[in-house]
Amino acid sequence: MLTLKHTLAGFLAFGLVLAAAPGGSARAEEYVEGEDYDVISPAIAGRHPDKIEVTEFFSYSCGHCYNFEPVISKWKESQPDDVVVVPSPVIWNKPMELLAKAYYAAEVLDVTELMHLALFQAIHVDRQRLTSAADIAEVFEDGGVPEEEFLKAFNSFGVSSLARQADARARAARISGTPEVMVAGKYRVTTRKAGSQAGMLEIAEFLIEKERAAKAAAAPAEAATGA
């Protein structure tokens, strides 16, 4: 049976190498709109309106996303309570739709922490071809989720709706590759402009601070209006 300890093992060594990243190496100067990141207009509403939401656009079939996962997982642990990191699968074809539904099935079944890594491992380490619901069900079964329970969630209206929302979110953000990051539904950061995955998170840190400052500046005006 797959366990979280088992699944994390493959990521750990790689994560120790790559996750040294962002914090201390951030550039002192400000990042420039259009050069280092892009503004998304209109802004996209997030799933956590009370937080500064960082959206990680990914695909389980993407090797770069597999490499990025231990990096962003380590980075997420360092974020304060007002920041939430939300994975969002992209859907550019039918196989990617199946994998996106697998992510949301895991979310509905409350096994995301285990299955998110297990699905990456199945494809990139175990070299499994997950091209059908039955293929994906085997991975969930290895993780302790009965096939019937998985298929019920996978084929549910709720999971299909979440997958459609993810597709609409990626299209609205004009995501053209993976992994890419969106901050507060307003800013898109790519490895192409950032230069590296670590650089992408450095720019995300800058944009989080920018959004936090904007929220603080808006708070007195909102309080006055409410009064």
Side-chain angles (χ1 to χ4, degrees):
M1 179 183 293
L2 256 173
T3 66
L4 181 58
K5 181 179 179 181
H6 172 104
T7 311
L8 282 172
F11 282 78
L12 185 56
F14 195 79
L16 288 174
V17 174
L18 293 182
S25 60
R27 285 172 11 188
E29 68 267 27
E30 289 193 349
Y31 292 99
V32 179
E33 176 188 331
E35 293 182 13
D36 302 300
Y37 65 90
D38 296 300
V39 172
I40 298 170
S41 183
I44 300 168
R47 299 178 71 184
H48 304 272
D50 57 328
K51 303 276 189 179
I52 300 174
E53 188 168 312
V54 177
T55 306
E56 173 204 0
F57 291 99
F58 79 99
S59 171
Y60 285 120
S61 58
C62 166
H64 296 298
C65 297
Y66 170 73
N67 293 339
F68 188 50
E69 194 57 36
V71 180
I72 195 168
S73 294
K74 186 72 174 178
W75 181 79
K76 179 170 64 175
E77 292 174 4
S78 70
Q79 296 306 304
D81 291 341
D82 65 338
V83 176
V84 60
V85 178
V86 181
S88 186
V90 299
I91 302 173
W92 293 324
N93 53 46
K94 190 63 176 178
M96 293 173 81
E97 181 183 2
L98 291 174
L99 293 171
K101 289 179 65 178
Y103 172 80
Y104 287 114
E107 185 176 275
V108 166
L109 294 168
D110 197 25
V111 291
T112 304
E113 187 175 8
L114 172 62
M115 298 314 304
H116 188 52
L117 301 184
L119 287 163
F120 271 122
Q121 178 173 297
I123 294 171
H124 298 283
V125 178
D126 302 332
R127 301 299 180 186
Q128 296 182 39
R129 291 177 56 82
L130 305 183
T131 58
S132 69
D135 292 338
I136 298 168
E138 290 184 10
V139 180
F140 274 74
E141 278 196 296
D142 286 345
V145 179
E147 179 181 12
E148 182 179 354
E149 189 175 336
F150 163 74
L151 290 174
K152 182 179 179 180
F154 183 85
N155 294 315
S156 68
F157 173 81
V159 163
S160 295
S161 178
L162 287 168
R164 285 194 298 271
Q165 290 172 33
D167 186 34
R169 183 162 49 247
R171 292 177 186 277
R174 297 184 179 181
I175 300 303
S176 59
T178 53
E180 291 186 2
V181 166
M182 177 174 68
V183 177
K186 300 176 181 179
Y187 310 105
R188 181 180 62 251
V189 189
T190 67
T191 52
R192 182 176 62 83
K193 287 191 173 181
S196 66
Q197 292 181 352
M200 188 162 58
L201 293 181
E202 289 179 8
I203 297 171
E205 291 273 11
F206 165 78
L207 294 169
I208 287 169
E209 290 298 333
K210 182 182 178 73
E211 180 65 12
R212 189 177 286 125
K215 282 178 172 286
E222 291 175 359
T225 302

